[in-house]
Amino acid sequence: MSDFIQRFHFSESPVRGELVQLSASVDAAFERHQYPDAVARLLGEAMAATVLLASTLKFEGSLILQARGDGPLETLMVECNHRREVRAIAQPGEAWQEDMANWPLEQLFGNGQLAITIDPEGGQRYQGIVPLQGTRLESCLEHYFMQSEQLPTRIWLAASEEGAAGLLLQVLPGHDQGSDADIWPRLQQLTATVKADELLELPATELLYRLYNEELVELHEAQAVCFRCTCSRERTEQVLVTLGENELRGIIAEHGAIEISCQFCGQEYAFDPVDVEQMIRGGAGHSVKMH
Ligand SMILES: [Zn+2]
């Protein structure tokens, strides 16, 4: 299996883990973009992190990770759903320069924030926001877990030119730590010895054996992860309608049609004047009351 996420848990203890390794989905997400190396690495790590976070959801829907600031790296966004379909995009601003590659996260984004949006299918969206502080994405995400779920959670991420990987450890809700009070600090220490190339390249069984050979680990079945964009003509229309009637007619008057290409996957959507009029009438129907 190429891209996967795999759950494991420590027998007789209230701690679980998730391991993710991505390569084809990272390639697919980067295919249409010329990201500077440092941006690609960070986006790869964010993809691994988002798949890990989405794996903690207990319902069908999507999880969207979005970082935004006033620094040289303006935005970064990754979305993953319960089918483990992931899409991602980053946007370095005009101020981006190669020598920023080793900047800590908080300098790359400047004054910024990290938003995690959870979008259950047919349910209410909710969002948690934490400041983009610290040198690495991991610490922001751990902060998010402390704030939103109050579950002790640790995350390790790595990315290379070939792919990205991550490991999440979490104390399960509703458990005290039982007789083995030392388990959580011990597992964190053991996991902290992981090297980036081990995380990226070792098969799951080998990696877990290397880290936890004195613990009893149960490995669940691996689940495939893939790149897939969730854009559609209908969703594109919904976004266009929010521009309003005047703006839409203005674009048609100037350009003759509206052409939009999806930033995530490159899919093109074109709307001619008839489409746009229909869109306006359809959109108005929702907000204008008929007397
Ligand atoms: Zn798309």
Side-chain angles (χ1 to χ4, degrees), residues 87 229-231 262 264-267 269:
R87 62 177 192 162
C229 193
T230 46
C231 70
C262 173
F264 290 94
C265 72
Q267 174 71 44
Y269 298 99

Side-chain angles (χ1 to χ4, degrees), residues 198-214:
E198 292 176 327
L199 196 53
L200 288 160
E201 288 158 27
L202 286 182
T205 44
E206 207 178 321
L207 177 67
L208 298 184
Y209 181 76
R210 203 174 279 196
L211 292 175
Y212 312 118
N213 54 59
E214 309 232 322

Side-chain angles (χ1 to χ4, degrees), residues 119-172:
D119 191 7
E121 269 174 15
Q124 186 87 39
R125 263 185 173 223
Y126 55 99
Q127 194 173 56
I129 293 178
V130 289
L132 270 170
Q133 285 171 349
T135 52
R136 311 245 317 141
L137 188 57
E138 285 98 324
S139 52
C140 290
L141 294 168
E142 288 165 0
H143 182 175
Y144 162 77
F145 272 104
M146 280 318 286
Q147 183 180 293
S148 67
E149 305 215 5
Q150 283 131 18
L151 296 177
T153 305
R154 293 292 312 275
I155 292 174
W156 288 264
L157 301 170
S160 68
E161 281 176 23
E162 278 82 46
L167 198 151
L168 173 145
L169 281 189
Q170 189 167 60
V171 179
L172 292 166

Side-chain angles (χ1 to χ4, degrees), residues 1-6 19-29 44 47-48 51 83-86 162-165 200 221-228:
M1 184 180 296
S2 69
D3 292 14
F4 70 91
I5 181 161
Q6 194 158 11
L19 170 69
V20 61
Q21 288 181 344
L22 306 175
S23 69
S25 48
V26 172
D27 281 351
M47 287 177 74
V51 177
R83 290 180 291 273
R84 295 170 301 281
E85 296 164 342
V86 63
E162 278 82 46
L200 288 160
E221 209 172 310
Q223 312 270 342
V225 178
C226 68
F227 172 86
R228 182 159 296 151

Side-chain angles (χ1 to χ4, degrees), residues 3 20 22 26 29 31 34 79 88 102 104 110 137 145 177 193 195 230 252 256 262 272:
D3 292 14
V20 61
L22 306 175
V26 172
E31 207 173 56
Q34 245 103 54
E79 186 174 349
N102 294 317
L137 188 57
F145 272 104
Q177 297 188 4
T193 63
K195 295 184 186 72
T230 46
I252 288 292
C262 173
D272 65 20

Side-chain angles (χ1 to χ4, degrees), residues 213-257:
N213 54 59
E214 309 232 322
E215 311 289 333
L216 279 171
V217 183
E218 281 180 49
L219 196 55
H220 300 223
E221 209 172 310
Q223 312 270 342
V225 178
C226 68
F227 172 86
R228 182 159 296 151
C229 193
T230 46
C231 70
S232 66
R233 188 171 174 89
E234 195 187 354
R235 277 186 157 199
T236 310
E237 276 182 25
Q238 285 166 1
V239 174
L240 282 173
V241 162
T242 65
L243 293 176
E245 187 175 335
N246 293 340
E247 180 74 23
L248 289 174
R249 289 214 173 94
I251 302 172
I252 288 292
E254 193 176 338
H255 301 283

